[in-house]
Amino acid sequence: MPTHDEEPDFLRDWASLSNEQHERFLKTVKKLVHDARAGGLYRKSLRIKHVQGHAGIYEMTWADDGRATFEFGTSPHAGDVHVIWRRIGSHDILKAP
């Protein structure tokens, strides 16, 4: 099972989202977790890609104008994926991922 942490910026961004946005993001995360368990070949609809100019940071699409940035870390469980959520919100978060 993938593990995760959240950066303070992510938690602040999260607090500004609506309940509907929370639900939509969490549904998308379920897809990410499923794909991670299946070997990390992420479905195209997640639109996971590197954030240009920021080594090791990725973005994921969870709504038309919903983005989340993250990086991979070390899981406390050997062989598991560990995601560190950095930011969440609109496309604007990519200015400071």
Side-chain angles (χ1 to χ4, degrees), residues 47-91:
R47 295 175 37 198
I48 293 174
K49 59 186 176 183
H50 288 94
V51 175
Q52 192 171 13
H54 298 276
I57 299 176
Y58 299 86
E59 70 171 282
M60 176 185 80
T61 299
W62 55 269
D64 288 342
D65 191 27
R67 304 291 185 275
T69 60
F70 64 95
E71 59 191 300
F72 292 104
T74 303
S75 175
H77 309 288
D80 281 346
V81 173
H82 183 76
V83 175
I84 302 167
W85 295 107
R86 298 177 53 90
R87 299 290 310 272
I88 187 169
S90 70
H91 195 264

Side-chain angles (χ1 to χ4, degrees), residues 1-65:
M1 171 73 152
T3 57
H4 62 90
D5 285 310
E6 299 83 21
E7 293 289 332
D9 285 342
F10 178 91
L11 295 173
R12 186 175 48 252
D13 294 341
W14 178 263
S16 70
L17 298 178
S18 69
N19 287 338
E20 181 181 330
Q21 289 171 312
H22 290 165
E23 290 175 18
R24 189 170 195 151
F25 173 74
L26 293 173
K27 285 180 183 178
T28 303
V29 169
K30 286 181 182 182
K31 294 174 185 176
L32 175 79
V33 168
H34 177 271
D35 293 353
R37 286 180 177 161
L41 296 174
Y42 300 102
R43 63 192 80 199
K44 290 182 182 183
S45 64
L46 296 175
R47 295 175 37 198
I48 293 174
K49 59 186 176 183
H50 288 94
V51 175
Q52 192 171 13
H54 298 276
I57 299 176
Y58 299 86
E59 70 171 282
M60 176 185 80
T61 299
W62 55 269
D64 288 342
D65 191 27

